[in-house]
Amino acid sequence: MQREEIRSLSGFVWSVADILRGDFKQSEYGKVILPFVVLRRLDCILESAKDAVLEAANSIPEGVDDATRDMILFGAVGDNVKVYNLSRFTLTTLKGQDPGQLHANLVDYITKFSTNVRDIFLDKFLFTDQLKRLKEGDILWNVFERFTEIDLHPDAVSNIEMGYLFEELIRRFSEISNETAGEHFTPREVISLIVDLLIANDDTKLTGRGIIRQVYDPACGTGGMLALTEAALQEFNPSIRVELFGQELNGESFGICKSDMLVTGHDPEQIAFGNTLTHDAHKDKRFHYMLSNPPYGVDWKKYQDAIKAEADLMGSDGRFGAGTPRISDGQLLFLQHMISKMRDDEIGSRIGIVMNGSPLFSGGAGSGESEIRRWMFEKDWVEAIVALPTDLFYNTGIQTYVWLLTNRKPANRRGKVQLIDASGERFWRSMRKSLGSKRREIPEEARADIVRIYEGFLNGDSGAGDVAKIFDVADFGYREIRVERPLRLNFQANQERIARLAAEKVYARLAEDEREEIEVALLGMGDKLFTNREAFENTLAKALKADGVKIAGPVKKAILSALSERDEEADICTDKDGNPEPDTDLRDHELVPLNEDWREYVAREVKPFAADAWVDESYRDARDREIGRVGYEINFNRYFYRYTPPRPLDEIDAELKALEVEIAGLLQEVAA
């Protein structure tokens, strides 16, 4: 079935919305349509085995435990499908029943599914509530009949195609309800690219019989990433056994994903419901392949207590020991979670995750984001990062990046990171019809080109053109040093500066007569301009003593602040030990490449322009003995900058003249 046919099918299913209009809000359409699609899919699969299942159920002796009972009934269904239904009805036979009994019959049908499916309809979809509303609106029969008209048997609509169908439906629901479609699914060509990149160099590891691979997605949505990974692995090696694991927070998406696992022979218990970051449902599991598209820019404020507690209590033994990112974006939390599930064996693990640009560079040296990047780079887990075209996703046009990580780098990649800029026109084409914000797609030939560049570990000078570059890990690191300039002040006790004292809080709290005494003493100093602080302090002390005025240290500090101004020609202010005091307004921070000596950098980049500058040696990294703080960032724009020359002036001038002529013509039409 082609993508256009899927859209046609989704359009037919979507036509149910015409029936719902008026009785349901647009934002509620999905609560009816999605569970009905799942129900019809299961019904089509189970219909042919109905008699065998009922016969098997009647033959089971009393006293058999639930696990054995389920095993017998799953066997009656066959095809390794782990779901059954003990109702005497199918959706087709229900059409022949009394329409007035349809609601009761449907409830009977749903509640007689095996427990693993019944819970999905009752707890996640809350489907019986929707059936009641349909009955009360007198539209239940119309909706039910519409769904019995479509064939969703796997022979007609494959599992991959069902994924496309759910993708189309969810996209439409998201558009009309202003929800974030990207939280539910990822465009299939993006998933295919990630999967191809993950297994690109695993030929020898995946060849042969008896191969088992476990695949995990911590934000699995409707299961699209898991399904496509399995399909790719089985296409490479038909005898491979693929075990799928996932976790999902959205109830409807979870219901769809778990239903898909049930009808494809996977263990449905390996798809967990809940928040991955606060409750790891696969705590003790490790996986061969992990891939995900976590939510972009979604804050984790309401989960912060549990996450920060784990980070503080467990440190490097937990999932978030490397650091926690800013509260407004949890993408790097998902990535750390996935890293914690890498296998520590000969095969190791591979991770593919798509994120926006924030994890590349947000946060300076010492921040949570930088520390997480530092941890990944210093462990040498980051293998490659691929910049994707904009306008690929349904809910946003921003640029995204695929990170590829492994704890078993081949020898030629150790200590190296490959950056691939696949954002240019070479790697995308415009869609004939936009789908939300999705106006572009990655064609198969472009996907193959990206995989070729990655698989061959190509650099710009080795067949990849200007779209791929290979760097040492240290190239992304820098040392942030604090550069100080000396404080230079002049002092003057004139009317204007004395008036500034009123703004000093310590001075303002003094009694009025105390302030008057001080101001009289200051005015008695005259308006001489001092360029040496020590000389001014001596003169100030004499003036106050002569007038019998005593002041506390904080008041003296306020006076010096009010009567001073910065002056490049003034003498340097020194502390009690004679060392220059830094001017915080002139303080600067320099980012020194990690593979360069900071002393040489200062001598070359700082001293020629500020001879009196020095480096604050107390500004240090908590985990590093060297001066300064270590940080890591990846700046794609810097590495792949392409200069675009401005248009010739003659061309711009000609265009302006043409516009003037056009405007003049329009004005004449208005005047006429």
Side-chain angles (χ1 to χ4, degrees), residues 463-587:
D466 60 351
V467 299
K469 296 183 180 181
I470 296 172
F471 297 88
D472 291 332
V473 167
D475 289 337
F476 303 113
Y478 62 87
R479 186 176 301 281
E480 181 185 79
I481 59 174
R482 177 178 288 172
V483 178
E484 302 284 17
R485 297 282 303 281
L487 180 64
R488 297 174 184 267
L489 299 172
N490 67 42
F491 299 84
Q492 191 173 28
N494 59 19
Q495 290 280 6
E496 180 184 350
R497 297 193 188 187
I498 292 173
R500 297 177 193 166
L501 275 169
E504 299 287 338
K505 293 182 179 179
V506 173
Y507 186 80
R509 287 197 291 265
L510 295 176
E512 185 176 351
D513 58 338
E514 290 180 284
R515 294 199 299 270
E516 288 180 358
E517 290 177 350
I518 293 172
E519 291 174 14
V520 168
L522 294 176
L523 288 171
M525 293 175 62
D527 59 358
K528 177 183 176 181
L529 184 69
F530 291 80
T531 57
N532 182 283
R533 185 172 66 182
E534 185 177 357
F536 177 75
E537 287 181 337
N538 291 335
T539 303
L540 173 63
K542 291 177 182 178
L544 293 173
K545 184 177 181 181
D547 285 8
V549 179
K550 293 183 179 181
I551 59 173
V555 176
K556 178 183 176 181
K557 185 176 180 180
I559 293 172
L560 293 176
S561 175
L563 303 187
S564 65
E565 289 183 356
R566 282 175 171 77
D567 183 349
E568 291 184 3
E569 302 300 323
D571 295 339
I572 295 174
C573 298
T574 57
D575 60 20
K576 60 183 179 62
D577 297 320
N579 298 316
E581 289 186 18
D583 185 341
T584 55
D585 284 358
L586 297 178
R587 177 176 290 165

Side-chain angles (χ1 to χ4, degrees), residues 343-533:
R343 298 169 60 95
D344 188 18
D345 57 14
E346 183 179 348
I347 297 174
S349 299
R350 296 181 55 73
I351 293 173
I353 182 171
V354 57
M355 300 186 286
N356 66 15
S358 177
L360 291 170
F361 51 77
S362 62
S367 68
E369 293 93 340
S370 180
E371 286 297 288
I372 295 168
R373 288 190 293 268
R374 177 180 180 180
W375 172 64
M376 292 188 293
F377 281 120
E378 291 184 351
K379 290 289 187 180
D380 199 18
W381 288 328
V382 182
E383 195 170 55
I385 303 175
V386 183
L388 300 180
T390 58
D391 301 317
L392 280 183
F393 288 78
Y394 301 94
N395 63 305
T396 178
I398 63 173
Q399 187 160 30
T400 52
Y401 301 80
V402 175
W403 290 57
L404 298 168
L405 294 85
T406 180
N407 58 347
R408 292 294 181 270
K409 273 189 179 183
N412 65 322
R413 287 185 180 266
R414 289 173 192 161
K416 306 287 185 181
V417 177
Q418 183 185 30
L419 299 186
I420 302 173
D421 182 10
S423 63
E425 294 184 10
R426 168 179 169 182
F427 300 101
W428 59 266
R429 68 185 175 200
S430 296
M431 298 176 63
R432 284 179 293 178
K433 181 180 179 182
S434 297
L435 299 174
S437 296
K438 182 174 175 59
R439 293 184 284 273
R440 297 172 177 173
E441 61 186 358
I442 303 174
E444 289 188 16
E445 58 272 19
R447 189 173 83 229
D449 195 16
I450 297 170
V451 174
R452 176 187 67 85
I453 293 170
Y454 162 76
E455 187 174 23
F457 196 41
L458 301 183
N459 203 348
D461 57 1
S462 58
D466 60 351
V467 299
K469 296 183 180 181
I470 296 172
F471 297 88
D472 291 332
V473 167
D475 289 337
F476 303 113
Y478 62 87
R479 186 176 301 281
E480 181 185 79
I481 59 174
R482 177 178 288 172
V483 178
E484 302 284 17
R485 297 282 303 281
L487 180 64
R488 297 174 184 267
L489 299 172
N490 67 42
F491 299 84
Q492 191 173 28
N494 59 19
Q495 290 280 6
E496 180 184 350
R497 297 193 188 187
I498 292 173
R500 297 177 193 166
L501 275 169
E504 299 287 338
K505 293 182 179 179
V506 173
Y507 186 80
R509 287 197 291 265
L510 295 176
E512 185 176 351
D513 58 338
E514 290 180 284
R515 294 199 299 270
E516 288 180 358
E517 290 177 350
I518 293 172
E519 291 174 14
V520 168
L522 294 176
L523 288 171
M525 293 175 62
D527 59 358
K528 177 183 176 181
L529 184 69
F530 291 80
T531 57
N532 182 283
R533 185 172 66 182

Side-chain angles (χ1 to χ4, degrees), residues 23 37-38 102 251 387 418 455 531 533 548 571 591 658-659 671:
D23 293 278
V37 171
V38 173
L102 179 61
Q418 183 185 30
E455 187 174 23
T531 57
R533 185 172 66 182
D571 295 339
L591 306 185
L659 289 172

Side-chain angles (χ1 to χ4, degrees), residues 585-611:
D585 284 358
L586 297 178
R587 177 176 290 165
D588 197 7
H589 292 84
E590 293 284 338
L591 306 185
V592 182
L594 204 57
N595 49 17
E596 182 175 353
D597 187 288
W598 65 269
R599 300 168 189 81
E600 295 177 2
Y601 178 92
V602 170
R604 184 183 71 251
E605 301 292 340
V606 178
K607 285 294 187 179
F609 310 100

